[in-house]
Amino acid sequence: MADNLEKNKKYCEVIESKIKLDAKPVAMKLIKTEEDLPEGYDLIDEKIRHCEMVRKASLGNKFYSTIDEQLCLGGAGAIGLRDMPEKLANGEKYFSLGRFQDLETAKKLTGKLSIIEDISWGMIYAPLDEADFEADVIQVITEPVGGMKLAQSIVYKTGEKINPSFAGIQSLCGDAFANPYLSEGVNFTLGCDGSRKAADIKDNEMTVGISKAKIEEVISGLESI
């Protein structure tokens, strides 16, 4: 636990020294059962969306959530706390919102969304420099110039172009958590209506999700550029 905290403090220090942030990077970890819950984390005392929980953690709060505290069922489905609601999975919901020209197109897109199908009991959220656990994913909310720096930190080591995956739908849940979690990579996303309205992701902000498999590489790259 102490080792994880020291590592996360270092990661946070490097990110904050290289990237302009208005809030803390956020560490998140899925927990399979209640017995796996570490000490020192209280259940969130309100029912809000996953993206709002990320924002809350970025402002200095640490807590955990089960499915019962997740207001947005699509977000909860993407991060693996429940099955994806049928009307979201089959495209009906997004078609009804006028996002697609027809139901077939909506279904084509929803079939490609990043969704964690293995169901977990809960999720821990914490500011990165207060997290004493190994995060599954670290999310950084930043201006595009910060996204550029993170991109540069990746190509520094790989020499490969980055291929972000996003659709303006299910951003902080699907794009910035489920995608890096499943791919063990890094993903860049431009937000969605839900996260911009509910979680106060600003017009000039984007989000980057970094998996535990990639965080050392990203930090090393940031230190080098």
Side-chain angles (χ1 to χ4, degrees):
M1 300 280 273
D3 286 350
N4 285 329
L5 181 59
E6 287 310 306
K7 264 190 191 177
N8 287 334
K9 280 183 173 177
K10 183 207 167 190
Y11 296 158
C12 191
E13 191 178 305
V14 173
I15 293 168
E16 288 182 325
S17 72
K18 297 286 186 173
I19 295 172
K20 180 186 172 189
L21 301 176
D22 289 328
K24 292 282 182 185
V26 176
M28 282 166 279
K29 183 179 181 66
L30 284 169
I31 40 178
K32 293 297 179 189
T33 68
E34 188 170 1
E35 288 68 42
D36 297 327
L37 182 68
E39 289 182 13
Y41 295 87
D42 294 327
L43 183 66
I44 189 170
D45 60 359
E46 55 186 330
K47 187 165 184 170
I48 56 176
R49 296 166 181 255
H50 162 77
C51 54
E52 292 179 275
M53 295 187 192
V54 175
R55 174 57 90 188
K56 197 175 175 76
S58 79
L59 298 175
N61 300 281
K62 49 189 256 188
F63 53 87
Y64 75 92
S65 160
T66 70
I67 183 57
D68 295 332
E69 292 73 49
Q70 295 280 342
L71 183 62
C72 174
L73 299 184
I79 64 174
L81 294 189
R82 59 157 287 155
D83 290 332
M84 186 60 74
E86 186 180 353
K87 288 193 175 182
L88 283 177
N90 66 19
E92 286 180 28
K93 175 69 173 175
Y94 290 119
F95 175 58
S96 73
L97 293 172
R99 301 283 181 78
F100 297 93
Q101 63 179 1
D102 51 44
L103 183 55
E104 189 180 342
T105 308
K107 196 170 201 169
K108 182 179 175 184
L109 187 279
T110 55
K112 296 176 181 175
L113 293 174
S114 297
I115 295 165
I116 298 170
E117 294 180 355
D118 188 19
I119 305 300
S120 293
W121 176 81
M123 175 87 88
I124 316 172
Y125 302 79
L128 181 57
D129 57 359
E130 293 182 42
D132 56 2
F133 55 86
E134 182 183 34
D136 289 328
V137 172
I138 292 165
Q139 285 186 14
V140 181
I141 300 167
T142 180
E143 293 181 0
V145 66
M148 178 194 77
K149 286 277 188 192
L150 286 167
Q152 291 171 342
S153 76
I154 296 164
V155 302
Y156 180 84
K157 287 287 179 76
T158 66
E160 299 287 342
K161 289 189 78 173
I162 294 162
N163 296 296
S165 175
F166 61 89
I169 289 172
Q170 295 200 341
S171 176
L172 270 68
C173 53
D175 295 343
F177 186 86
N179 179 291
Y181 179 90
L182 293 168
S183 69
E184 297 189 338
V186 181
N187 197 27
F188 294 67
T189 180
L190 298 182
C192 60
D193 288 340
S195 62
R196 293 201 181 279
K197 288 174 186 170
D200 195 31
I201 304 299
K202 304 289 194 300
D203 286 355
N204 65 337
E205 289 180 328
M206 60 180 291
T207 305
V208 182
I210 308 163
S211 67
K212 65 182 174 187
K214 283 287 186 182
I215 185 63
E216 284 284 353
E217 188 178 302
V218 169
I219 294 300
S220 173
L222 277 175
E223 289 178 313
S224 301
I225 60 175

